[in-house]
Amino acid sequence: MTENTQTPSSPTSELPTTYAPAEVEGKLYERWVERGYFEADAKSEKPAYTIVIPPPNVTGSLHLGHAFQHTLMDALTRRKRMQGYESLWLPGMDHAGIATQNKVEQQLAEEGKSRHDLGREEFTDRVWKWKEEYGGKILGQMRRLGDGVDWSRERFTMDEGLSKAVQTIFKRLYDDELIYRAERIINWCPRCLTAISDIEVEYQDDAGELVSIRYGEGEDSLVVATTRAETMLGDTAVAVHPDDERYAHLIGKQIKLPLTDRTIPVVADTHVDPEFGTGAVKVTPAHDPNDFAIGQRHDLQSLTVMDEHGVITVHGPFLGLDRFEARSAIVGALREQGRIVAEKRPYMHSVGHCSRCKTTVEPRLSMQWWVKVGPLAQAAGDAVRDGRVKIHPEDMSKRYFDWVDNMHDWCISRQLWWGHRIPIWYGPEGQVVCVGPDEQPPTGEGWTQDADVLDTWFSSGLWPFSTLGWPERTPDLEKFYATDVLLTGHDIIFFWVARMMMFGLYAMDGVAPFHTIALTGLVRDEFGKKMSKSNPNAVDPLDWMDKYGSDAVRFTLAKGANPGADVPIGEDWVQASSKFANKIWNATRFALMNGATIEGELPPVERLSATDRWILSRLNKTVAQVDGYYEDYQFSKLSEALYHFAWDEVFDWYVELSKTTFFAGGEQAKVSGRVLGEVVDVMLRLLHPIVPFVTETLWTTLTGGESLVIADWPKDSGFRDEAAEAEIASVQSVITEVRRFRKEQGLQDGQKVPARLDLGATALGAHEAAIRQLLRLQPEGDSFSATATLPVAGGTVALDLSGTIDVAAERKRLTKDLGAAEKEKQQAEAKLGNEAFIAKAPDNVVDKIKGRLAKAEADIARLQAQLDGLPAA
């Protein structure tokens, strides 16, 4: 609980009768930024709490995935700030090498030019201009969502400081022999004209063809099957398993490669599965990673038969054909020679595509720069294994270990012009020099810098410490590293999380870049389908914000956020959250109009009514519950807890049960007004990190305080009153039971009914006035005739329904329903009494029947009581 000394400057006169998010949100956010609430102080003695934002692409715009993760990160940092931490949520953007270069190249294409027409320097100048003019749109959209980030520390992966960090770590890794240059098979995109990493390849089932081709002649022949017939032009062997007796006579022999004038050897290699297909595989070392490994083991030649555009570069008849045209032409030529043994089409198989442009990826032998990940990945795995870093939810750890424990060396060079250029210079005599950020590159005739740039993930892998000033030991780095939590989607464990772990541990002397990795699922539509721009289910969150307000979008996303699980979302749910925001608004206005205040201390317990003690007990339990959920990243559960506390317990019960007190006035009304003020104050504080705008407006009106952003987070005072909770539960039971009966009788909500309440000697008697008001029950009067008597907790409620219901028709209806309930009970008892059935039926089926029996028994008791309460016919 919190102490308050401020006095509200003005009550409901400051609040419009209806909440209009568009008139509130933008102004509030700019006020927060202008007052510096989100700026962190490295000199502060407060404990630090740090989150770095997963840097969105400079080309990007806010989508629901961003809105989802940003809502959760914002909630974490806002709460910690209120708890007294020096909270830093650091924003920035990624230069997005391929995506950004593509944007500018598209512009040039519209002008009839290419980047080569401009040259490297002019082209990169053009990209910087594009970035300044069109890039970073998402930053303004983050403001619209309410992101409480420290804009004074905004970073960009190509800014001067981060560029220095990139060059520094490259130099260190190179000097430690963890970066090297080698010719290996890489994933090549013929559209983007660059290497891409394994994790930037998306696999999908495509309809291709599987052709079986006979190599060699007569007894010295064998059959291989392939989906990429065009690569046979680069075959330099056929491989079989050394123990496969079918081909023992061929191992070591040369056989004729069809369509060429070459012969190739048959080699024995344990990689071949003799049970798969024919047990013989073609080996194309320059165009397949497995074949490359076989080629290395057997000292085979690597023949490149395609250029960077996927065009055939060898063998006259097919020279100049696109790879897919060549595939058809080669199969046709083989068919004419009678070498096609079998053809299967369509043949569904997994094919890799560039994640950015969707072009089919081509494995290609290429000279590239690599990171030797073995020792780095080992360290990244150990940091989780020994508990220095926690993965949440824990069951996601397996995916992390599957990646870091089996990681291949990382190809970091990209054949682009936009990005961090590799700091390697080549000399005229074959010299290779790596240049650090404070070193001068070699000069003189014949010296050239490597033309490639680094993979975007190389620079973003440094994000948790480069953004804080590394390699300098800055005050920011000392104060805010390591960061507390990385909250990100489970889909980029491989792209980003593992990279940051490797680089952070390496650069920061074994200190991991974060204490916790909190993994979320992906946002999907209300039917669980993946959202995509190519599908009609894609949603622009800004449209929903315009329509319902940012708080409604944020609350909907948080309410769906179960750790590691995907998040379905539909417009109906956002609309429901908008109604919740309006409910908070209207109920707080009612509270203010009825004397809710935070002035002075809470009255002593002996002056509090049972209703007051109940809501304060529930309030403290909710504070404790919400704190526990936050620490476990259970955003869905904490949102549900807040929703039900606010809507059900505060608004639907406490406010309603207290209306008679407020209307009566007097000392007890003042006491309850102070309690209501306390409850609303704490409730708004608890809600603020998720729905900051509506809560800020209401709280400042209620308390006169400066801002919820810098207010104290509520603390559980320890106050509990189980007796009051039990008492109010009985009151709720009475009201709920009579309301249900009224509904069953078809009575209107506002229809008044004479009633006699016999609540015995229980504490319920103290609540008779509230019960009567909520149930629209009039005093019984002289002509009262009890036509229905309901048993309720601690007594009975007799109602005079004469003139409102047809007693005979009601008795007939209840008798029919009672008969159906008794039949249901008999059927359930019969099944549960059948030993043969019980022995065979699954536990869940038995449990379901037991549930049916329990419900039938309850229905019988309820219906019989209603019948007994009706007057005789």
Side-chain angles (χ1 to χ4, degrees), residues 124-335:
T124 53
D125 286 345
R126 177 79 175 252
V127 180
W128 276 108
K129 290 177 182 176
W130 182 93
K131 183 255 182 188
E132 295 303 322
E133 186 174 354
Y134 301 106
K137 179 172 67 171
I138 191 172
L139 299 179
Q141 295 167 340
M142 287 163 55
R143 291 172 177 263
R144 180 77 174 81
L145 184 65
D147 283 8
V149 297
D150 186 346
W151 291 110
S152 71
R153 286 178 167 86
E154 181 188 335
R155 303 306 299 267
F156 179 56
T157 50
M158 290 276 286
D159 69 29
E160 183 178 352
L162 270 63
S163 295
K164 180 178 181 180
V166 167
Q167 199 170 351
T168 299
I169 202 163
F170 187 100
K171 170 73 171 173
R172 292 187 186 180
L173 290 164
Y174 181 84
D175 290 347
D176 287 343
E177 298 183 348
L178 292 172
I179 283 183
Y180 64 94
R181 192 172 187 236
E183 193 174 41
R184 300 276 182 83
I185 291 286
I186 48 91
N187 302 297
W188 181 265
C189 176
R191 160 62 183 79
C192 297
L193 296 179
T194 183
I196 59 176
S197 65
D198 290 345
I199 52 180
E200 293 170 298
V201 178
E202 294 179 348
Y203 287 90
Q204 66 184 47
D205 286 340
D206 286 357
E209 59 180 349
L210 179 69
V211 292
S212 298
I213 309 167
R214 183 173 298 281
Y215 283 23
E217 307 293 343
E219 293 184 359
D220 292 344
S221 68
L222 38 68
V223 175
V224 300
T226 181
T227 58
R228 300 171 67 221
E230 68 279 8
T231 63
M232 69 166 291
L233 301 176
D235 287 358
T236 54
V238 172
V240 298
H241 194 278
D243 298 332
D244 194 334
E245 295 181 358
R246 293 172 295 175
Y247 305 117
H249 67 290
L250 289 177
I251 295 174
K253 286 188 176 182
Q254 296 280 328
I255 61 171
K256 181 74 183 305
L257 178 64
L259 304 182
T260 72
D261 56 3
R262 292 190 292 117
T263 60
I264 57 176
V266 178
V267 299
D269 196 282
T270 54
H271 170 76
V272 179
D273 180 1
E275 303 299 322
F276 183 77
T278 64
V281 297
K282 59 192 287 298
V283 181
T284 321
H287 293 277
D288 184 273
N290 293 322
D291 293 3
F292 179 78
I294 294 174
Q296 293 284 293
R297 289 192 289 271
H298 297 278
D299 196 26
L300 300 175
Q301 184 181 8
S302 294
L303 297 178
T304 300
V305 297
M306 272 180 261
D307 66 12
E308 65 270 24
H309 297 281
V311 173
I312 302 298
T313 58
V314 298
H315 203 68
F318 313 109
L319 183 66
L321 293 180
D322 170 80
R323 53 185 168 154
F324 301 117
E325 295 173 335
R327 179 179 301 171
S328 178
I330 287 170
V331 170
L334 290 168
R335 191 183 295 112

Side-chain angles (χ1 to χ4, degrees), residues 272-428:
V272 179
D273 180 1
E275 303 299 322
F276 183 77
T278 64
V281 297
K282 59 192 287 298
V283 181
T284 321
H287 293 277
D288 184 273
N290 293 322
D291 293 3
F292 179 78
I294 294 174
Q296 293 284 293
R297 289 192 289 271
H298 297 278
D299 196 26
L300 300 175
Q301 184 181 8
S302 294
L303 297 178
T304 300
V305 297
M306 272 180 261
D307 66 12
E308 65 270 24
H309 297 281
V311 173
I312 302 298
T313 58
V314 298
H315 203 68
F318 313 109
L319 183 66
L321 293 180
D322 170 80
R323 53 185 168 154
F324 301 117
E325 295 173 335
R327 179 179 301 171
S328 178
I330 287 170
V331 170
L334 290 168
R335 191 183 295 112
E336 287 181 6
Q337 292 186 6
R339 291 197 171 270
I340 299 296
V341 176
E343 297 180 68
K344 183 177 182 180
R345 64 170 68 86
Y347 177 72
M348 301 303 296
H349 64 128
S350 182
V351 177
H353 297 262
C354 173
S355 62
R356 291 176 178 82
C357 70
K358 311 308 177 188
T359 300
T360 300
V361 167
E362 191 64 43
R364 187 168 186 260
L365 186 64
S366 180
M367 183 67 75
Q368 301 285 346
W369 286 95
W370 304 81
V371 171
K372 186 185 294 183
V373 300
L376 302 174
Q378 176 70 43
D382 290 346
V384 175
R385 287 190 174 92
D386 63 25
R388 280 175 288 158
V389 177
K390 304 289 186 185
I391 292 181
H392 187 85
E394 190 176 352
D395 58 11
M396 285 283 179
S397 298
K398 183 180 183 302
R399 294 188 66 183
Y400 177 80
F401 291 130
D402 284 347
W403 178 251
V404 298
D405 292 347
N406 300 286
M407 195 182 296
H408 301 298
D409 283 0
W410 173 19
C411 176
I412 56 172
S413 46
R414 298 291 181 267
Q415 290 63 55
L416 303 170
W417 286 356
W418 172 245
H420 295 282
R421 195 164 177 182
I422 290 177
I424 294 288
W425 269 256
Y426 304 107

Side-chain angles (χ1 to χ4, degrees), residues 15 53 102 138 175 179 336 380 429 476 516 574 730 780 809 853:
L15 295 175
I53 204 166
N102 282 347
I138 191 172
D175 290 347
I179 283 183
E336 287 181 6
E429 305 299 325
D476 274 7
T516 301
V574 183
S730 295
E780 50 193 282
L853 175 60

